[in-house]
Amino acid sequence: MILQSDAIQVRVDPPIATITLNRPDAGNALTRAMVSELQVALGDVHAEKRIRAVVLAARGDSFCVGRDVAEIAPSEDTLADMVRWGDEAREYQELLVAMLQLPKPLIAAVQGPALAAGAGLVLACDAAIGSDAALFGFPEPRQGIVAGVAAPLLAFCVGGAVASRLLVLADTIDAAEAHRLGLYHKVTPTDLTWAQACDWARTAAESAPQAVGLTKRLLYDTVAEQLMSQLSSGAAASATAMTTDSAREGLAAHLENRQPEWP
């Protein structure tokens, strides 16, 4: 059975499937429920033999603007918050690992801005088609927090120098620059982004499923040998950053639509 929910939808057009983020009014910001449902959807398409390639897409003007800030913001219960932040970071880490370990080609169709946790989703795909409106960046420091889980994946994909620029400067770049850096592998008009990703998925589906799965496993076990421990360290850094005064002020400022006053 293929998962269907309000926020995560799965469309099957053998030999490909499209997993769609469907929270457009909120910029497809990720809630904990969506992270869990994405995990379930990945398991479903993995188990379905008719599906040999997968497209990750989104509805609306944004691909994904990151985590739902209202959901991750501090409450009055500090101890409960610390447990929750640790769980949230671990759950997001596990989602990225599931994407990396999916033995089927996974293509991102990025029709709009992919920011913060949304940019991490793009990095965990095997290839990414970006529209000419597809911004990319990690603005977390402007909210007093850290892109801990995605940081090692970004460095793995584009190298330390580029990762440092994007993470430390909290720099959001346009689609052309993201393409130049290898973050988007092709840039298309917005109305063609999903179709182009499906074309790539169908091309990938022409290969032998076992050969593709073994190739992805080889890359995971060799090129990414150190990545899993780095993702765990990043999750711990993300959770720790949430406990700081800077995070409390930055998230409050974001929710109140004002400039933060850093402690």
Side-chain angles (χ1 to χ4, degrees):
M1 181 177 179
I2 300 293
L3 168 100
Q4 296 292 346
S5 77
D6 290 338
I8 302 295
Q9 298 181 342
V10 182
R11 169 178 170 176
V12 178
D13 299 295
I16 67 172
T18 301
I19 300 174
T20 302
L21 309 180
N22 186 40
R23 201 172 170 232
D25 292 343
N28 295 307
L30 293 175
T31 63
R32 290 184 72 180
M34 290 173 69
V35 170
S36 176
E37 289 168 358
L38 280 170
Q39 281 266 40
V40 173
L42 289 170
D44 289 346
V45 299
H46 181 185
E48 178 56 69
K49 291 185 178 180
R50 296 179 302 157
I51 299 170
R52 297 202 299 275
V54 182
V55 173
L56 180 64
R59 299 194 191 282
D61 295 330
S62 296
F63 177 76
C64 176
V65 297
R67 297 300 298 262
D68 187 303
V69 174
E71 188 179 73
I72 66 173
S75 71
E76 298 302 318
D77 190 336
T78 302
L79 290 178
D81 284 345
M82 292 176 68
V83 173
R84 172 169 58 89
W85 290 328
D87 289 343
E88 288 169 347
R90 174 183 50 78
E91 291 160 2
Y92 179 61
Q93 173 199 350
E94 290 173 350
L95 171 61
L96 295 190
V97 171
M99 294 172 68
L100 293 167
Q101 291 182 331
L102 184 71
K104 301 178 181 184
L106 181 57
I107 315 295
V110 189
Q111 90 291 4
L115 305 174
L121 295 181
V122 175
L123 294 172
C125 292
D126 298 305
I129 306 290
S131 81
D132 42 22
L135 305 177
F136 185 96
F138 293 93
E140 282 93 335
R142 300 181 188 276
Q143 299 172 356
I145 56 179
V146 173
V149 180
L153 186 54
L154 177 64
F156 168 74
C157 290
V158 296
V162 173
S164 178
R165 168 197 161 188
L166 292 177
L167 293 166
V168 175
L169 298 184
D171 198 9
T172 296
I173 58 177
D174 62 20
E177 177 70 357
H179 180 241
R180 186 185 71 81
L181 295 174
L183 294 161
Y184 296 146
H185 302 108
K186 184 174 183 178
V187 176
T188 69
T190 301
D191 59 346
L192 299 178
T193 307
W194 177 73
Q196 180 65 70
C198 288
D199 285 345
W200 279 21
R202 291 189 186 93
T203 297
E206 294 173 358
S207 297
Q210 288 184 322
V212 172
L214 288 170
T215 298
K216 290 195 65 174
R217 179 62 184 266
L218 175 65
L219 290 170
Y220 181 84
D221 287 346
T222 56
V223 179
E225 183 178 4
Q226 304 297 321
L227 184 58
M228 294 307 105
S229 62
Q230 293 170 353
L231 290 174
S232 295
S233 297
S238 288
T240 300
M242 291 295 298
T243 68
T244 64
D245 291 338
S246 292
R248 183 174 292 275
E249 167 60 15
L251 294 171
H254 180 84
L255 291 170
E256 295 165 10
N257 195 30
R258 60 174 174 82
Q259 290 296 315
E261 297 180 4
W262 301 119

